[in-house]
Amino acid sequence: MSALIIATYIIGVGVGALGLLYVVKDLAADLILLGAQLLVLLVWIALVVGALLKAASVGGPTDAITFWGYALTGLTLPIAGLYLGFLERSRWGALTIAIASLTMTVLAARLPQIWAGGFA
Amino acid sequence: MSGRTGIRRDAEHTDRTGAEQGRGFRVVIMLAYFIFAISATARSLVQILTEFDQAPVAFVLSLLAAVTYIVLAVLVSRPRVPITAALTVVGIELAGVIGVGLLSIAVPALFPRPSVWSHFGSGYGYVPLVLPIIAGIYLLHQRRRGVKHAA
């Protein structure tokens, strides 16, 4: 589980950096960047599924509402990035993907703080 | 896409003229208010529904923040942003961040648990303090440019 969290950090920062590169070069989000944003979403889904499995077997977090609230919030962010990145065909669309992805890293960092046992 | 403008939109590089709606940077503001609308609403609802008696003032102020963010998320997402209305709510937001920030410092007894705008949004990297400033500057700039927005 912890390997997945670390992967989430790296992918979040990586896609954020990629998005910022697009911004600097005045490029709109193309399939590569949109695919990268999709990757952020997929890795978060994997994270949530892993957490669900862990909760089912070992018992869930004490602060369940907060934890699953974060999990759900994390699902909406890359979807918003995909939508806005596709809608706005300019560097600003790429910037939304960058911001969404970097925020995902922050969210992922918070998860083990809310439920240490889930990511030991 | 209406296709009526005759402005060739290269898929990768922007090609804006002054006549265009200029959504550009606005999507970043849309994303920011979307993120905060979701986070603040989730946080304030959870706190109010599960442990309201622990910090009622703080949680109500979080709810106020959430409502402000929801309203702004909706307003800035409109194809024609109602600039005056949006600026008014941004003003409320800024007053809220600064007011609650000051209050959380002056009367910490009201905040045994942190609120969204506690300490000027320090729990969110002070973005709640910076966001209304950026949004306000953007809206003022759009109004000055005379871009075709709703009044």
Side-chain angles (χ1 to χ4, degrees), chain A residues 25-28 65-66 73 76-77 80 84 87-93 95-96 99-100 103, chain B residues 1 9-14 16 23-28 30-31 34-35 38-39 42 46 50:
Chain A
K25 298 177 64 134
D26 194 15
L27 292 172
I65 300 181
T66 303
T73 305
T76 66
L77 242 63
L84 291 174
L87 179 77
E88 175 62 21
R89 297 291 183 143
S90 71
R91 75 199 318 173
W92 303 117
L95 183 57
T96 63
I99 293 176
T103 308
Chain B
M1 304 288 178
R9 291 276 284 256
D10 182 62
E12 301 217 332
H13 291 264
T14 59
R16 305 199 166 273
R23 182 180 54 200
F25 180 73
R26 180 157 62 94
V27 290
V28 178
M30 285 163 60
L31 180 74
F34 172 78
I35 293 176
I38 298 230
S39 306
V46 163
T50 62

CSV table of all heavy atoms in Angstrom, one decimal, chain A residues 25-28 65-66 73 76-77 80 84 87-93 95-96 99-100 103, chain B residues 1 9-14 16 23-28 30-31 34-35 38-39 42 46 50:
chain,number,residue,atom,x,y,z
A,25,LYS,N,5.5,26.6,-22.5
A,25,LYS,CA,5.7,26.6,-23.9
A,25,LYS,C,4.4,27.0,-24.7
A,25,LYS,O,4.3,26.8,-25.9
A,25,LYS,CB,6.1,25.2,-24.3
A,25,LYS,CG,7.5,24.8,-23.7
A,25,LYS,CD,7.8,23.3,-24.1
A,25,LYS,CE,8.0,23.2,-25.6
A,25,LYS,NZ,9.3,22.4,-25.9
A,26,ASP,N,3.4,27.5,-23.9
A,26,ASP,CA,2.2,27.9,-24.5
A,26,ASP,C,1.5,26.8,-25.4
A,26,ASP,O,1.2,27.1,-26.6
A,26,ASP,CB,2.4,29.2,-25.4
A,26,ASP,CG,1.1,29.9,-25.8
A,26,ASP,OD1,0.1,29.6,-25.1
A,26,ASP,OD2,1.2,30.7,-26.7
A,27,LEU,N,1.4,25.7,-24.8
A,27,LEU,CA,0.8,24.6,-25.5
A,27,LEU,C,-0.5,24.2,-24.8
A,27,LEU,O,-0.6,24.3,-23.6
A,27,LEU,CB,1.7,23.3,-25.5
A,27,LEU,CG,3.0,23.4,-26.3
A,27,LEU,CD1,3.9,22.2,-26.0
A,27,LEU,CD2,2.7,23.5,-27.8
A,28,ALA,N,-1.5,23.8,-25.6
A,28,ALA,CA,-2.7,23.3,-25.0
A,28,ALA,C,-2.5,21.8,-24.7
A,28,ALA,O,-1.6,21.2,-25.1
A,28,ALA,CB,-3.9,23.4,-26.0
A,65,ILE,N,-15.4,9.3,8.2
A,65,ILE,CA,-16.1,10.3,7.3
A,65,ILE,C,-15.0,11.2,6.7
A,65,ILE,O,-15.1,11.5,5.5
A,65,ILE,CB,-17.1,11.2,8.1
A,65,ILE,CG1,-18.2,10.3,8.7
A,65,ILE,CG2,-17.7,12.2,7.2
A,65,ILE,CD1,-19.2,11.0,9.5
A,66,THR,N,-14.0,11.7,7.5
A,66,THR,CA,-13.0,12.5,6.9
A,66,THR,C,-12.2,11.8,5.9
A,66,THR,O,-11.9,12.3,4.8
A,66,THR,CB,-12.1,13.0,8.0
A,66,THR,OG1,-12.8,13.7,9.0
A,66,THR,CG2,-11.0,13.9,7.5
A,73,THR,N,-13.1,13.5,-2.7
A,73,THR,CA,-12.6,14.7,-3.2
A,73,THR,C,-11.5,14.5,-4.2
A,73,THR,O,-11.5,15.1,-5.3
A,73,THR,CB,-12.1,15.6,-2.1
A,73,THR,OG1,-13.1,15.8,-1.1
A,73,THR,CG2,-11.7,17.0,-2.6
A,76,THR,N,-12.8,13.8,-7.7
A,76,THR,CA,-13.3,14.9,-8.5
A,76,THR,C,-12.2,15.7,-9.1
A,76,THR,O,-12.5,16.3,-10.2
A,76,THR,CB,-14.2,15.8,-7.6
A,76,THR,OG1,-13.4,16.4,-6.7
A,76,THR,CG2,-15.3,15.0,-6.9
A,77,LEU,N,-11.1,15.8,-8.5
A,77,LEU,CA,-10.1,16.7,-8.9
A,77,LEU,C,-9.5,16.4,-10.3
A,77,LEU,O,-9.5,17.3,-11.2
A,77,LEU,CB,-8.9,16.8,-7.9
A,77,LEU,CG,-8.7,18.2,-7.3
A,77,LEU,CD1,-9.9,18.6,-6.6
A,77,LEU,CD2,-7.5,18.3,-6.5
A,80,ALA,N,-12.1,17.0,-12.9
A,80,ALA,CA,-12.2,18.5,-13.3
A,80,ALA,C,-11.0,18.9,-14.2
A,80,ALA,O,-11.2,19.7,-15.1
A,80,ALA,CB,-12.2,19.3,-12.0
A,84,LEU,N,-11.6,20.6,-17.8
A,84,LEU,CA,-11.2,21.9,-18.1
A,84,LEU,C,-10.0,21.9,-19.1
A,84,LEU,O,-9.9,22.8,-19.9
A,84,LEU,CB,-10.8,22.6,-16.8
A,84,LEU,CG,-11.9,23.0,-15.9
A,84,LEU,CD1,-11.4,23.6,-14.6
A,84,LEU,CD2,-12.9,24.0,-16.6
A,87,LEU,N,-11.6,21.4,-22.3
A,87,LEU,CA,-12.5,22.5,-22.7
A,87,LEU,C,-11.7,23.7,-23.2
A,87,LEU,O,-12.0,24.3,-24.2
A,87,LEU,CB,-13.4,22.9,-21.5
A,87,LEU,CG,-14.3,24.0,-21.7
A,87,LEU,CD1,-15.5,23.5,-22.5
A,87,LEU,CD2,-14.8,24.6,-20.4
A,88,GLU,N,-10.7,24.0,-22.5
A,88,GLU,CA,-9.9,25.2,-22.7
A,88,GLU,C,-8.6,24.8,-23.5
A,88,GLU,O,-7.7,24.4,-23.0
A,88,GLU,CB,-9.5,25.9,-21.4
A,88,GLU,CG,-8.6,27.1,-21.5
A,88,GLU,CD,-9.2,28.2,-22.4
A,88,GLU,OE1,-10.5,28.3,-22.5
A,88,GLU,OE2,-8.5,29.1,-22.8
A,89,ARG,N,-8.7,25.1,-24.8
A,89,ARG,CA,-7.6,24.7,-25.7
A,89,ARG,C,-6.5,25.7,-25.7
A,89,ARG,O,-6.3,26.4,-26.7
A,89,ARG,CB,-8.1,24.5,-27.1
A,89,ARG,CG,-9.2,23.4,-27.2
A,89,ARG,CD,-8.5,22.1,-27.0
A,89,ARG,NE,-9.5,21.0,-27.1
A,89,ARG,CZ,-9.1,19.8,-27.7
A,89,ARG,NH1,-7.9,19.6,-28.1
A,89,ARG,NH2,-10.0,18.8,-27.8
A,90,SER,N,-5.9,25.9,-24.5
A,90,SER,CA,-4.8,26.8,-24.5
A,90,SER,C,-3.9,26.4,-23.3
A,90,SER,O,-4.1,25.4,-22.6
A,90,SER,CB,-5.3,28.2,-24.3
A,90,SER,OG,-5.9,28.3,-22.9
A,91,ARG,N,-2.9,27.2,-23.1
A,91,ARG,CA,-2.0,26.9,-22.0
A,91,ARG,C,-2.7,26.9,-20.6
A,91,ARG,O,-2.3,26.3,-19.7
A,91,ARG,CB,-0.9,28.0,-21.9
A,91,ARG,CG,-1.4,29.3,-21.4
A,91,ARG,CD,-0.5,30.5,-21.7
A,91,ARG,NE,0.9,30.3,-21.6
A,91,ARG,CZ,1.8,31.2,-22.0
A,91,ARG,NH1,1.4,32.3,-22.5
A,91,ARG,NH2,3.1,30.9,-21.9
A,92,TRP,N,-3.8,27.7,-20.5
A,92,TRP,CA,-4.6,27.7,-19.3
A,92,TRP,C,-5.2,26.4,-18.9
A,92,TRP,O,-5.4,26.0,-17.8
A,92,TRP,CB,-5.6,28.9,-19.3
A,92,TRP,CG,-4.9,30.2,-19.6
A,92,TRP,CD1,-5.2,31.0,-20.7
A,92,TRP,CD2,-3.9,30.8,-18.8
A,92,TRP,NE1,-4.3,32.1,-20.6
A,92,TRP,CE2,-3.6,32.0,-19.5
A,92,TRP,CE3,-3.2,30.5,-17.6
A,92,TRP,CZ2,-2.6,32.9,-19.0
A,92,TRP,CZ3,-2.3,31.4,-17.2
A,92,TRP,CH2,-2.0,32.6,-17.8
A,93,GLY,N,-5.7,25.7,-20.0
A,93,GLY,CA,-6.2,24.4,-19.8
A,93,GLY,C,-5.1,23.5,-19.2
A,93,GLY,O,-5.4,22.7,-18.3
A,95,LEU,N,-2.7,24.5,-17.5
A,95,LEU,CA,-2.4,24.9,-16.1
A,95,LEU,C,-3.4,24.3,-15.1
A,95,LEU,O,-3.0,23.9,-14.0
A,95,LEU,CB,-2.4,26.4,-16.0
A,95,LEU,CG,-2.1,27.0,-14.6
A,95,LEU,CD1,-0.7,26.6,-14.2
A,95,LEU,CD2,-2.2,28.5,-14.7
A,96,THR,N,-4.6,24.1,-15.6
A,96,THR,CA,-5.6,23.5,-14.7
A,96,THR,C,-5.2,22.0,-14.4
A,96,THR,O,-5.3,21.6,-13.3
A,96,THR,CB,-7.0,23.5,-15.2
A,96,THR,OG1,-7.1,22.8,-16.4
A,96,THR,CG2,-7.5,24.9,-15.5
A,99,ILE,N,-2.3,22.2,-11.9
A,99,ILE,CA,-2.7,22.5,-10.5
A,99,ILE,C,-3.5,21.4,-9.9
A,99,ILE,O,-3.3,21.0,-8.7
A,99,ILE,CB,-3.6,23.8,-10.5
A,99,ILE,CG1,-2.8,25.0,-10.9
A,99,ILE,CG2,-4.3,24.0,-9.2
A,99,ILE,CD1,-3.6,26.3,-11.0
A,100,ALA,N,-4.4,20.8,-10.7
A,100,ALA,CA,-5.2,19.6,-10.2
A,100,ALA,C,-4.2,18.5,-9.7
A,100,ALA,O,-4.4,17.9,-8.7
A,100,ALA,CB,-6.1,19.1,-11.2
A,103,THR,N,-2.3,19.3,-6.6
A,103,THR,CA,-3.2,19.3,-5.4
A,103,THR,C,-3.4,17.8,-5.0
A,103,THR,O,-3.6,17.5,-3.8
A,103,THR,CB,-4.5,20.0,-5.7
A,103,THR,OG1,-4.3,21.3,-6.2
A,103,THR,CG2,-5.4,20.1,-4.5
B,1,MET,N,-18.7,24.3,-30.8
B,1,MET,CA,-18.0,25.4,-31.5
B,1,MET,C,-18.9,26.0,-32.5
B,1,MET,O,-19.5,25.3,-33.3
B,1,MET,CB,-16.7,24.9,-32.2
B,1,MET,CG,-15.8,24.1,-31.2
B,1,MET,SD,-14.9,25.3,-30.2
B,1,MET,CE,-14.0,24.2,-29.2
B,9,ARG,N,-8.5,28.5,-35.0
B,9,ARG,CA,-8.0,28.1,-33.7
B,9,ARG,C,-7.0,26.9,-33.9
B,9,ARG,O,-7.4,25.8,-34.1
B,9,ARG,CB,-9.2,27.6,-32.8
B,9,ARG,CG,-10.1,28.8,-32.4
B,9,ARG,CD,-9.5,29.5,-31.2
B,9,ARG,NE,-9.7,28.6,-30.0
B,9,ARG,CZ,-10.6,28.9,-29.1
B,9,ARG,NH1,-11.3,30.0,-29.3
B,9,ARG,NH2,-10.7,28.2,-28.1
B,10,ASP,N,-5.8,27.2,-33.9
B,10,ASP,CA,-4.8,26.2,-34.0
B,10,ASP,C,-4.9,25.3,-32.7
B,10,ASP,O,-5.1,25.8,-31.6
B,10,ASP,CB,-3.4,26.8,-34.0
B,10,ASP,CG,-2.3,25.7,-34.1
B,10,ASP,OD1,-2.3,25.0,-35.1
B,10,ASP,OD2,-1.5,25.6,-33.2
B,11,ALA,N,-4.8,24.0,-32.9
B,11,ALA,CA,-5.2,23.1,-31.8
B,11,ALA,C,-4.2,23.3,-30.7
B,11,ALA,O,-4.5,23.0,-29.6
B,11,ALA,CB,-5.1,21.7,-32.3
B,12,GLU,N,-3.0,23.7,-30.9
B,12,GLU,CA,-2.0,23.7,-29.9
B,12,GLU,C,-1.7,25.1,-29.4
B,12,GLU,O,-1.5,25.3,-28.2
B,12,GLU,CB,-0.7,23.1,-30.4
B,12,GLU,CG,-0.9,21.6,-30.8
B,12,GLU,CD,0.2,20.7,-30.4
B,12,GLU,OE1,1.3,21.2,-30.3
B,12,GLU,OE2,0.0,19.5,-30.2
B,13,HIS,N,-1.6,26.1,-30.2
B,13,HIS,CA,-1.3,27.4,-29.8
B,13,HIS,C,-2.5,28.3,-29.9
B,13,HIS,O,-3.3,28.3,-30.8
B,13,HIS,CB,-0.2,28.0,-30.7
B,13,HIS,CG,1.1,27.3,-30.4
B,13,HIS,ND1,2.1,27.8,-29.6
B,13,HIS,CD2,1.6,26.1,-30.9
B,13,HIS,CE1,3.1,26.9,-29.6
B,13,HIS,NE2,2.9,25.9,-30.4
B,14,THR,N,-2.6,29.1,-28.9
B,14,THR,CA,-3.8,30.1,-28.9
B,14,THR,C,-3.6,31.2,-29.9
B,14,THR,O,-2.4,31.5,-30.3
B,14,THR,CB,-3.9,30.7,-27.5
B,14,THR,OG1,-2.7,31.4,-27.2
B,14,THR,CG2,-4.2,29.6,-26.4
B,16,ARG,N,-5.5,34.5,-29.9
B,16,ARG,CA,-6.6,35.3,-29.4
B,16,ARG,C,-6.6,36.7,-30.0
B,16,ARG,O,-5.6,37.3,-30.1
B,16,ARG,CB,-6.5,35.4,-27.9
B,16,ARG,CG,-6.5,34.0,-27.3
B,16,ARG,CD,-6.9,34.0,-25.8
B,16,ARG,NE,-7.1,32.7,-25.4
B,16,ARG,CZ,-8.3,32.1,-25.5
B,16,ARG,NH1,-9.3,32.7,-26.0
B,16,ARG,NH2,-8.5,30.8,-25.2
B,23,ARG,N,-11.8,33.4,-22.3
B,23,ARG,CA,-12.0,32.5,-21.2
B,23,ARG,C,-10.7,32.2,-20.5
B,23,ARG,O,-10.6,32.0,-19.3
B,23,ARG,CB,-12.7,31.3,-21.6
B,23,ARG,CG,-13.0,30.3,-20.5
B,23,ARG,CD,-13.8,29.1,-21.0
B,23,ARG,NE,-13.0,28.5,-22.2
B,23,ARG,CZ,-13.6,27.7,-23.1
B,23,ARG,NH1,-14.9,27.4,-23.0
B,23,ARG,NH2,-12.9,27.2,-24.0
B,24,GLY,N,-9.7,32.0,-21.4
B,24,GLY,CA,-8.3,31.7,-21.0
B,24,GLY,C,-8.1,31.4,-19.5
B,24,GLY,O,-8.4,30.4,-19.0
B,25,PHE,N,-7.5,32.4,-18.8
B,25,PHE,CA,-7.1,32.3,-17.4
B,25,PHE,C,-8.3,31.9,-16.5
B,25,PHE,O,-8.1,31.4,-15.4
B,25,PHE,CB,-6.4,33.5,-17.0
B,25,PHE,CG,-5.9,33.5,-15.5
B,25,PHE,CD1,-4.9,32.7,-15.2
B,25,PHE,CD2,-6.6,34.2,-14.5
B,25,PHE,CE1,-4.4,32.6,-13.9
B,25,PHE,CE2,-6.2,34.1,-13.2
B,25,PHE,CZ,-5.1,33.3,-12.9
B,26,ARG,N,-9.5,32.3,-17.0
B,26,ARG,CA,-10.7,32.1,-16.1
B,26,ARG,C,-10.8,30.7,-15.7
B,26,ARG,O,-11.4,30.4,-14.6
B,26,ARG,CB,-11.9,32.6,-16.8
B,26,ARG,CG,-13.2,32.5,-16.0
B,26,ARG,CD,-14.3,33.4,-16.5
B,26,ARG,NE,-14.7,33.2,-17.8
B,26,ARG,CZ,-15.7,32.5,-18.2
B,26,ARG,NH1,-16.4,31.8,-17.3
B,26,ARG,NH2,-16.0,32.3,-19.5
B,27,VAL,N,-10.4,29.7,-16.6
B,27,VAL,CA,-10.6,28.3,-16.2
B,27,VAL,C,-9.8,27.9,-14.9
B,27,VAL,O,-10.1,27.1,-14.2
B,27,VAL,CB,-10.2,27.3,-17.3
B,27,VAL,CG1,-11.3,27.4,-18.4
B,27,VAL,CG2,-8.8,27.5,-17.8
B,28,VAL,N,-8.7,28.7,-14.7
B,28,VAL,CA,-7.9,28.4,-13.5
B,28,VAL,C,-8.6,28.9,-12.3
B,28,VAL,O,-8.7,28.2,-11.3
B,28,VAL,CB,-6.5,29.1,-13.6
B,28,VAL,CG1,-5.7,28.9,-12.4
B,28,VAL,CG2,-5.8,28.7,-14.8
B,30,MET,N,-11.9,29.1,-12.2
B,30,MET,CA,-13.0,28.1,-12.0
B,30,MET,C,-12.5,26.9,-11.3
B,30,MET,O,-13.2,26.4,-10.4
B,30,MET,CB,-13.5,27.7,-13.4
B,30,MET,CG,-14.3,28.7,-14.2
B,30,MET,SD,-14.4,28.4,-15.9
B,30,MET,CE,-15.2,26.8,-16.0
B,31,LEU,N,-11.3,26.4,-11.6
B,31,LEU,CA,-10.8,25.2,-10.9
B,31,LEU,C,-10.6,25.5,-9.5
B,31,LEU,O,-11.0,24.7,-8.6
B,31,LEU,CB,-9.5,24.7,-11.6
B,31,LEU,CG,-8.9,23.5,-10.9
B,31,LEU,CD1,-9.6,22.2,-11.3
B,31,LEU,CD2,-7.4,23.3,-11.3
B,34,PHE,N,-13.8,25.6,-7.6
B,34,PHE,CA,-14.4,24.3,-7.6
B,34,PHE,C,-13.7,23.5,-6.5
B,34,PHE,O,-14.4,22.8,-5.7
B,34,PHE,CB,-14.2,23.6,-8.9
B,34,PHE,CG,-14.5,22.1,-9.0
B,34,PHE,CD1,-15.9,21.8,-9.0
B,34,PHE,CD2,-13.6,21.1,-8.9
B,34,PHE,CE1,-16.2,20.4,-9.0
B,34,PHE,CE2,-13.9,19.8,-8.9
B,34,PHE,CZ,-15.3,19.4,-9.0
B,35,ILE,N,-12.4,23.5,-6.4
B,35,ILE,CA,-11.7,22.7,-5.4
B,35,ILE,C,-12.1,23.2,-4.0
B,35,ILE,O,-12.4,22.4,-3.1
B,35,ILE,CB,-10.1,22.9,-5.6
B,35,ILE,CG1,-9.7,22.3,-6.9
B,35,ILE,CG2,-9.4,22.3,-4.4
B,35,ILE,CD1,-8.2,22.5,-7.1
B,38,ILE,N,-15.8,22.2,-3.0
B,38,ILE,CA,-15.9,20.8,-2.6
B,38,ILE,C,-15.2,20.6,-1.2
B,38,ILE,O,-15.9,20.0,-0.3
B,38,ILE,CB,-15.2,19.9,-3.6
B,38,ILE,CG1,-15.9,20.0,-5.0
B,38,ILE,CG2,-15.2,18.5,-3.1
B,38,ILE,CD1,-16.3,18.8,-5.6
B,39,SER,N,-14.0,21.1,-1.1
B,39,SER,CA,-13.3,20.8,0.2
B,39,SER,C,-14.0,21.5,1.4
B,39,SER,O,-14.2,20.8,2.4
B,39,SER,CB,-11.9,21.4,0.1
B,39,SER,OG,-11.2,20.9,-1.0
B,42,ALA,N,-17.5,19.8,2.1
B,42,ALA,CA,-17.3,18.5,2.8
B,42,ALA,C,-16.8,18.7,4.2
B,42,ALA,O,-17.4,18.1,5.1
B,42,ALA,CB,-16.3,17.7,2.0
B,46,VAL,N,-19.2,17.7,7.5
B,46,VAL,CA,-18.8,16.7,8.4
B,46,VAL,C,-18.7,17.2,9.8
B,46,VAL,O,-19.2,16.6,10.7
B,46,VAL,CB,-17.4,16.1,7.9
B,46,VAL,CG1,-16.7,15.4,9.0
B,46,VAL,CG2,-17.5,15.3,6.7
B,50,THR,N,-21.2,15.9,12.8
B,50,THR,CA,-20.7,15.0,13.7
B,50,THR,C,-20.3,15.5,15.1
B,50,THR,O,-20.3,14.9,16.1
B,50,THR,CB,-19.5,14.2,13.1
B,50,THR,OG1,-18.5,15.2,12.9
B,50,THR,CG2,-19.9,13.5,11.8
